[in-house]
Amino acid sequence: MPKALILVADGSEEIEFVTPYDVLTRAGFEIQSAGVNLRNQDYAHMTRNIRIVPDYSKLSSVPSPESYDILILPGGAPGAKTFSNTTDVTQLIASFRLQGKYVAAICAGTTALVAAQKLAASSKTESVATEKAKVTSHPSVKEEIKGEGWEYSEERVVVDGKIITSRGPGTAMLFALTIVEALMGKEKRDEISGPLIVAETL
C-alpha cells in the first residue's frame, strides 16, 4: 500500500487538497496531511474560507516524513508561497527527489518545487534534487517558472520521471488519478474511475 503525505497551509486551494486526498484514499493509499505554518493550530483556513483540519498540525509532528512514497503539494497562491518560503518544506521536497520518490504539485504548488531545486542547487552539489524537469502549473505562475529555466507545458497534467504536475482546480481529478496510475498502475486507476463516474475528458 503506497503512503502519501499531502501538505496544507493557510491559503491552500480546497479542491486541490481534498480531491487527491479523497481519490487516493479510494485507491487504497495510506494518506496523511500536515499543516505548514498554520496561524491557528487547529485548522488551515483555505482560499474559499473552508477550514481543513490536517492529520498533523505541523510538519515537524509527522513521524518519519521521508517514509512516504509521494509528497503532494496543493496550490492556492498564499499556500504555495508558504511552502516555497519554508525551509522544512523545500528540504523535504529535495530529499524526496534525492531518494527517487515522487513529488506531485498542482497549480501554484509547482513554485515550491522550483524553490526546492534552487535551494538544492545553491549547495553546489550535483544530484537528482538539482535537476529541472518538464512541468506545468496555473497560468498565473507560468512566467515565474519559465524564468527559472524549467521546461514548461500547457498540458493538463505532466509526468516527467518522478515529478507530476498539474494546472489548477479543474484538473484536480485528473491529477489525482494520474498519481494513482503512477504508483498503483492503470488497472487500479480504471477500477476507481468507474464508481466515481469520471468523464471521458477531464
Side-chain angles (χ1 to χ4, degrees):
M1 175 188 308
K3 294 179 64 178
L5 178 63
I6 184 167
L7 304 185
V8 64
D10 294 314
S12 289
E13 166 60 54
E14 289 90 332
I15 293 174
E16 296 164 4
F17 173 87
V18 172
T19 303
Y21 201 112
D22 179 292
V23 172
L24 269 58
T25 298
R26 292 171 188 262
F29 279 66
E30 179 183 340
I31 182 167
Q32 276 96 35
S33 57
V36 177
N37 297 346
L38 302 180
R39 289 188 297 272
N40 184 314
Q41 290 298 304
D42 293 330
Y43 59 81
H45 193 145
M46 310 295 273
T47 57
R48 270 67 189 174
N49 295 321
I50 291 175
R51 291 172 173 81
I52 296 288
V53 179
D55 298 303
Y56 298 97
S57 62
K58 51 189 177 181
L59 185 55
S60 61
S61 298
V62 179
S64 304
E66 293 179 5
S67 68
Y68 293 84
D69 301 298
I70 183 168
L71 178 66
I72 303 172
L73 307 162
K81 185 175 181 180
T82 296
F83 297 156
S84 298
N85 293 334
T86 301
T87 302
D88 285 350
V89 174
T90 52
Q91 287 180 338
L92 185 61
I93 294 169
S95 177
F96 266 68
R97 296 194 66 196
L98 190 60
Q99 295 178 69
K101 295 184 177 184
Y102 282 93
V103 177
I106 182 169
C107 194
T110 303
T111 58
L113 185 63
V114 173
Q117 184 274 334
K118 288 178 66 176
L119 178 67
S122 69
S123 67
K124 295 182 169 46
T125 58
E126 293 295 327
S127 72
V128 173
T130 65
E131 296 174 1
K132 297 173 182 177
K134 181 180 180 181
V135 296
T136 193
S137 70
H138 192 272
S140 62
V141 294
K142 172 182 175 180
E143 295 306 320
E144 176 183 345
I145 293 166
K146 288 180 65 178
E148 294 295 338
W150 290 63
E151 183 180 353
Y152 195 88
S153 171
E154 302 285 350
E155 296 174 53
R156 292 168 68 78
V157 174
V158 174
V159 180
D160 188 355
K162 294 294 183 72
I163 293 178
I164 302 170
T165 52
S166 190
R167 307 217 73 193
T171 66
M173 179 64 75
L174 181 57
F175 175 64
L177 291 171
T178 300
I179 293 172
V180 171
E181 182 172 350
L183 276 80
M184 299 188 75
K186 188 175 185 304
E187 184 176 345
K188 175 59 71 173
R189 173 180 174 155
D190 292 344
E191 176 188 321
I192 65 168
S193 294
L196 284 169
I197 319 297
V198 175
E200 291 185 11
T201 55
L202 290 174

